[in-house]
PDB file of all heavy atoms in Angstrom:
ATOM      1  N   ASP U 183      45.111  -9.859  51.208  1.00 92.00           N
ATOM      2  CA  ASP U 183      46.448 -10.397  51.026  1.00 92.00           C
ATOM      3  C   ASP U 183      47.216  -9.690  49.900  1.00 92.00           C
ATOM      4  O   ASP U 183      48.193 -10.236  49.389  1.00 92.00           O
ATOM      5  CB  ASP U 183      46.408 -11.904  50.755  1.00 92.00           C
ATOM      6  CG  ASP U 183      47.759 -12.559  51.060  1.00 92.00           C
ATOM      7  OD1 ASP U 183      48.466 -12.072  51.957  1.00 92.00           O
ATOM      8  OD2 ASP U 183      48.116 -13.536  50.366  1.00 92.00           O
ATOM      9  N   GLU U 184      46.789  -8.500  49.518  1.00 93.00           N
ATOM     10  CA  GLU U 184      47.545  -7.728  48.530  1.00 93.00           C
ATOM     11  C   GLU U 184      48.583  -6.851  49.227  1.00 93.00           C
ATOM     12  O   GLU U 184      48.331  -6.304  50.298  1.00 93.00           O
ATOM     13  CB  GLU U 184      46.629  -6.814  47.696  1.00 93.00           C
ATOM     14  CG  GLU U 184      45.583  -7.547  46.869  1.00 93.00           C
ATOM     15  CD  GLU U 184      44.256  -7.673  47.606  1.00 93.00           C
ATOM     16  OE1 GLU U 184      44.232  -7.394  48.837  1.00 93.00           O
ATOM     17  OE2 GLU U 184      43.264  -8.051  46.970  1.00 93.00           O
ATOM     18  N   ASP U 185      49.773  -6.744  48.634  1.00 92.00           N
ATOM     19  CA  ASP U 185      50.792  -5.816  49.132  1.00 92.00           C
ATOM     20  C   ASP U 185      50.424  -4.416  48.652  1.00 92.00           C
ATOM     21  O   ASP U 185      50.651  -4.056  47.492  1.00 92.00           O
ATOM     22  CB  ASP U 185      52.178  -6.203  48.620  1.00 92.00           C
ATOM     23  CG  ASP U 185      52.735  -7.431  49.326  1.00 92.00           C
ATOM     24  OD1 ASP U 185      52.360  -7.651  50.484  1.00 92.00           O
ATOM     25  OD2 ASP U 185      53.529  -8.158  48.706  1.00 92.00           O
ATOM     26  N   VAL U 186      49.842  -3.644  49.533  1.00 93.00           N
ATOM     27  CA  VAL U 186      49.343  -2.311  49.166  1.00 93.00           C
ATOM     28  C   VAL U 186      50.265  -1.208  49.664  1.00 93.00           C
ATOM     29  O   VAL U 186      50.551  -0.255  48.941  1.00 93.00           O
ATOM     30  CB  VAL U 186      47.916  -2.107  49.725  1.00 93.00           C
ATOM     31  CG1 VAL U 186      47.448  -0.682  49.477  1.00 93.00           C
ATOM     32  CG2 VAL U 186      46.955  -3.102  49.085  1.00 93.00           C
ATOM     33  N   VAL U 187      50.745  -1.342  50.879  1.00 93.00           N
ATOM     34  CA  VAL U 187      51.528  -0.276  51.508  1.00 93.00           C
ATOM     35  C   VAL U 187      53.001  -0.673  51.571  1.00 93.00           C
ATOM     36  O   VAL U 187      53.333  -1.792  51.973  1.00 93.00           O
ATOM     37  CB  VAL U 187      51.016   0.017  52.937  1.00 93.00           C
ATOM     38  CG1 VAL U 187      51.813   1.164  53.559  1.00 93.00           C
ATOM     39  CG2 VAL U 187      49.528   0.349  52.902  1.00 93.00           C
ATOM     40  N   SER U 188      53.870   0.229  51.158  1.00 91.00           N
ATOM     41  CA  SER U 188      55.311   0.007  51.254  1.00 91.00           C
ATOM     42  C   SER U 188      55.974   1.223  51.871  1.00 91.00           C
ATOM     43  O   SER U 188      55.379   2.305  51.952  1.00 91.00           O
ATOM     44  CB  SER U 188      55.910  -0.272  49.873  1.00 91.00           C
ATOM     45  OG  SER U 188      55.684   0.814  48.994  1.00 91.00           O
ATOM     46  N   GLN U 189      57.200   1.035  52.300  1.00 87.00           N
ATOM     47  CA  GLN U 189      57.938   2.098  52.973  1.00 87.00           C
ATOM     48  C   GLN U 189      59.284   2.280  52.308  1.00 87.00           C
ATOM     49  O   GLN U 189      59.892   1.324  51.812  1.00 87.00           O
ATOM     50  CB  GLN U 189      58.135   1.761  54.454  1.00 87.00           C
ATOM     51  CG  GLN U 189      58.779   2.862  55.271  1.00 87.00           C
ATOM     52  CD  GLN U 189      58.799   2.518  56.755  1.00 87.00           C
ATOM     53  OE1 GLN U 189      58.718   1.361  57.128  1.00 87.00           O
ATOM     54  NE2 GLN U 189      58.904   3.528  57.602  1.00 87.00           N
ATOM     55  N   ALA U 190      59.742   3.533  52.276  1.00 80.00           N
ATOM     56  CA  ALA U 190      61.045   3.822  51.697  1.00 80.00           C
ATOM     57  C   ALA U 190      62.138   3.126  52.495  1.00 80.00           C
ATOM     58  O   ALA U 190      62.130   3.130  53.724  1.00 80.00           O
ATOM     59  CB  ALA U 190      61.284   5.329  51.678  1.00 80.00           C
ATOM     60  N   ALA U 191      63.080   2.503  51.771  1.00 81.00           N
ATOM     61  CA  ALA U 191      64.210   1.845  52.421  1.00 81.00           C
ATOM     62  C   ALA U 191      65.446   2.708  52.183  1.00 81.00           C
ATOM     63  O   ALA U 191      66.001   2.738  51.090  1.00 81.00           O
ATOM     64  CB  ALA U 191      64.411   0.447  51.850  1.00 81.00           C
ATOM     65  N   GLY U 192      65.861   3.424  53.196  1.00 81.00           N
ATOM     66  CA  GLY U 192      67.006   4.312  53.030  1.00 81.00           C
ATOM     67  C   GLY U 192      66.636   5.594  52.313  1.00 81.00           C
ATOM     68  O   GLY U 192      65.459   5.909  52.115  1.00 81.00           O
ATOM     69  N   SER U 193      67.641   6.321  51.895  1.00 87.00           N
ATOM     70  CA  SER U 193      67.436   7.621  51.247  1.00 87.00           C
ATOM     71  C   SER U 193      67.386   7.455  49.728  1.00 87.00           C
ATOM     72  O   SER U 193      67.982   6.523  49.180  1.00 87.00           O
ATOM     73  CB  SER U 193      68.567   8.581  51.618  1.00 87.00           C
ATOM     74  OG  SER U 193      68.633   8.777  53.014  1.00 87.00           O
ATOM     75  N   PRO U 194      66.695   8.341  49.018  1.00 93.00           N
ATOM     76  CA  PRO U 194      66.673   8.268  47.562  1.00 93.00           C
ATOM     77  C   PRO U 194      68.047   8.573  46.985  1.00 93.00           C
ATOM     78  O   PRO U 194      68.815   9.348  47.562  1.00 93.00           O
ATOM     79  CB  PRO U 194      65.643   9.343  47.170  1.00 93.00           C
ATOM     80  CG  PRO U 194      65.597  10.273  48.332  1.00 93.00           C
ATOM     81  CD  PRO U 194      65.865   9.444  49.537  1.00 93.00           C
ATOM     82  N   SER U 195      68.380   7.937  45.870  1.00 95.00           N
ATOM     83  CA  SER U 195      69.660   8.181  45.199  1.00 95.00           C
ATOM     84  C   SER U 195      69.429   9.024  43.955  1.00 95.00           C
ATOM     85  O   SER U 195      68.427   8.867  43.251  1.00 95.00           O
ATOM     86  CB  SER U 195      70.335   6.860  44.821  1.00 95.00           C
ATOM     87  OG  SER U 195      69.515   6.113  43.927  1.00 95.00           O
ATOM     88  N   PHE U 196      70.365   9.927  43.684  1.00 97.00           N
ATOM     89  CA  PHE U 196      70.289  10.831  42.536  1.00 97.00           C
ATOM     90  C   PHE U 196      71.457  10.517  41.600  1.00 97.00           C
ATOM     91  O   PHE U 196      72.616  10.549  42.031  1.00 97.00           O
ATOM     92  CB  PHE U 196      70.365  12.288  42.994  1.00 97.00           C
ATOM     93  CG  PHE U 196      69.144  12.784  43.722  1.00 97.00           C
ATOM     94  CD1 PHE U 196      68.826  12.314  44.986  1.00 97.00           C
ATOM     95  CD2 PHE U 196      68.300  13.721  43.129  1.00 97.00           C
ATOM     96  CE1 PHE U 196      67.701  12.767  45.662  1.00 97.00           C
ATOM     97  CE2 PHE U 196      67.169  14.178  43.794  1.00 97.00           C
ATOM     98  CZ  PHE U 196      66.871  13.704  45.060  1.00 97.00           C
ATOM     99  N   THR U 197      71.132  10.238  40.329  1.00 96.00           N
ATOM    100  CA  THR U 197      72.156   9.832  39.375  1.00 96.00           C
ATOM    101  C   THR U 197      71.979  10.565  38.042  1.00 96.00           C
ATOM    102  O   THR U 197      70.864  10.650  37.526  1.00 96.00           O
ATOM    103  CB  THR U 197      72.108   8.320  39.111  1.00 96.00           C
ATOM    104  OG1 THR U 197      72.185   7.620  40.344  1.00 96.00           O
ATOM    105  CG2 THR U 197      73.246   7.884  38.215  1.00 96.00           C
ATOM    106  N   LEU U 198      73.090  11.083  37.527  1.00 94.00           N
ATOM    107  CA  LEU U 198      73.118  11.633  36.172  1.00 94.00           C
ATOM    108  C   LEU U 198      73.639  10.547  35.235  1.00 94.00           C
ATOM    109  O   LEU U 198      74.787  10.104  35.369  1.00 94.00           O
ATOM    110  CB  LEU U 198      74.049  12.844  36.094  1.00 94.00           C
ATOM    111  CG  LEU U 198      73.502  14.223  36.419  1.00 94.00           C
ATOM    112  CD1 LEU U 198      74.647  15.233  36.426  1.00 94.00           C
ATOM    113  CD2 LEU U 198      72.443  14.651  35.424  1.00 94.00           C
ATOM    114  N   GLU U 199      72.803  10.086  34.313  1.00 92.00           N
ATOM    115  CA  GLU U 199      73.245   9.091  33.336  1.00 92.00           C
ATOM    116  C   GLU U 199      73.612   9.817  32.043  1.00 92.00           C
ATOM    117  O   GLU U 199      72.749  10.392  31.382  1.00 92.00           O
ATOM    118  CB  GLU U 199      72.162   8.057  33.086  1.00 92.00           C
ATOM    119  CG  GLU U 199      72.608   6.943  32.149  1.00 92.00           C
ATOM    120  CD  GLU U 199      71.549   5.862  31.963  1.00 92.00           C
ATOM    121  OE1 GLU U 199      70.724   5.698  32.881  1.00 92.00           O
ATOM    122  OE2 GLU U 199      71.560   5.204  30.908  1.00 92.00           O
ATOM    123  N   VAL U 200      74.888   9.820  31.693  1.00 92.00           N
ATOM    124  CA  VAL U 200      75.367  10.569  30.528  1.00 92.00           C
ATOM    125  C   VAL U 200      76.139   9.631  29.604  1.00 92.00           C
ATOM    126  O   VAL U 200      76.561   8.536  29.999  1.00 92.00           O
ATOM    127  CB  VAL U 200      76.270  11.743  30.963  1.00 92.00           C
ATOM    128  CG1 VAL U 200      75.491  12.729  31.820  1.00 92.00           C
ATOM    129  CG2 VAL U 200      77.487  11.244  31.740  1.00 92.00           C
ATOM    130  N   ASN U 201      76.321  10.081  28.358  1.00 91.00           N
ATOM    131  CA  ASN U 201      77.134   9.293  27.439  1.00 91.00           C
ATOM    132  C   ASN U 201      78.608   9.647  27.621  1.00 91.00           C
ATOM    133  O   ASN U 201      78.961  10.512  28.407  1.00 91.00           O
ATOM    134  CB  ASN U 201      76.674   9.494  25.992  1.00 91.00           C
ATOM    135  CG  ASN U 201      76.742  10.951  25.556  1.00 91.00           C
ATOM    136  OD1 ASN U 201      77.663  11.691  25.925  1.00 91.00           O
ATOM    137  ND2 ASN U 201      75.764  11.382  24.770  1.00 91.00           N
ATOM    138  N   GLU U 202      79.471   8.958  26.873  1.00 89.00           N
ATOM    139  CA  GLU U 202      80.907   9.141  27.043  1.00 89.00           C
ATOM    140  C   GLU U 202      81.335  10.577  26.764  1.00 89.00           C
ATOM    141  O   GLU U 202      82.148  11.152  27.498  1.00 89.00           O
ATOM    142  CB  GLU U 202      81.666   8.177  26.111  1.00 89.00           C
ATOM    143  CG  GLU U 202      81.468   6.702  26.427  1.00 89.00           C
ATOM    144  CD  GLU U 202      82.334   6.253  27.602  1.00 89.00           C
ATOM    145  OE1 GLU U 202      83.124   7.081  28.098  1.00 89.00           O
ATOM    146  OE2 GLU U 202      82.210   5.094  28.017  1.00 89.00           O
ATOM    147  N   ALA U 203      80.788  11.174  25.701  1.00 89.00           N
ATOM    148  CA  ALA U 203      81.168  12.545  25.351  1.00 89.00           C
ATOM    149  C   ALA U 203      80.757  13.519  26.451  1.00 89.00           C
ATOM    150  O   ALA U 203      81.504  14.435  26.806  1.00 89.00           O
ATOM    151  CB  ALA U 203      80.537  12.943  24.019  1.00 89.00           C
ATOM    152  N   GLN U 204      79.559  13.335  26.986  1.00 89.00           N
ATOM    153  CA  GLN U 204      79.100  14.208  28.062  1.00 89.00           C
ATOM    154  C   GLN U 204      79.965  14.046  29.306  1.00 89.00           C
ATOM    155  O   GLN U 204      80.307  15.026  29.968  1.00 89.00           O
ATOM    156  CB  GLN U 204      77.643  13.897  28.391  1.00 89.00           C
ATOM    157  CG  GLN U 204      76.665  14.311  27.303  1.00 89.00           C
ATOM    158  CD  GLN U 204      75.262  13.814  27.584  1.00 89.00           C
ATOM    159  OE1 GLN U 204      75.073  12.725  28.118  1.00 89.00           O
ATOM    160  NE2 GLN U 204      74.269  14.604  27.227  1.00 89.00           N
ATOM    161  N   ALA U 205      80.330  12.796  29.611  1.00 90.00           N
ATOM    162  CA  ALA U 205      81.150  12.548  30.799  1.00 90.00           C
ATOM    163  C   ALA U 205      82.495  13.251  30.685  1.00 90.00           C
ATOM    164  O   ALA U 205      83.009  13.805  31.671  1.00 90.00           O
ATOM    165  CB  ALA U 205      81.343  11.052  31.005  1.00 90.00           C
ATOM    166  N   ARG U 206      83.081  13.238  29.480  1.00 89.00           N
ATOM    167  CA  ARG U 206      84.368  13.915  29.293  1.00 89.00           C
ATOM    168  C   ARG U 206      84.229  15.425  29.411  1.00 89.00           C
ATOM    169  O   ARG U 206      85.169  16.121  29.793  1.00 89.00           O
ATOM    170  CB  ARG U 206      84.959  13.553  27.924  1.00 89.00           C
ATOM    171  CG  ARG U 206      85.457  12.119  27.826  1.00 89.00           C
ATOM    172  CD  ARG U 206      86.294  11.921  26.567  1.00 89.00           C
ATOM    173  NE  ARG U 206      85.506  12.141  25.367  1.00 89.00           N
ATOM    174  CZ  ARG U 206      84.846  11.186  24.727  1.00 89.00           C
ATOM    175  NH1 ARG U 206      84.867   9.939  25.199  1.00 89.00           N
ATOM    176  NH2 ARG U 206      84.163  11.447  23.629  1.00 89.00           N
ATOM    177  N   ALA U 207      83.059  15.950  29.066  1.00 87.00           N
ATOM    178  CA  ALA U 207      82.856  17.401  29.052  1.00 87.00           C
ATOM    179  C   ALA U 207      82.464  17.971  30.402  1.00 87.00           C
ATOM    180  O   ALA U 207      82.480  19.180  30.584  1.00 87.00           O
ATOM    181  CB  ALA U 207      81.780  17.756  28.020  1.00 87.00           C
TER     182      ALA U 207
END
Side-chain angles (χ1 to χ4, degrees):
D183 201 31
E184 298 93 348
D185 286 332
V186 174
V187 182
S188 60
Q189 185 174 22
S193 301
S195 61
F196 289 69
T197 306
L198 273 174
E199 184 177 334
V200 298
N201 59 38
E202 295 281 356
Q204 290 172 324
R206 289 192 297 269

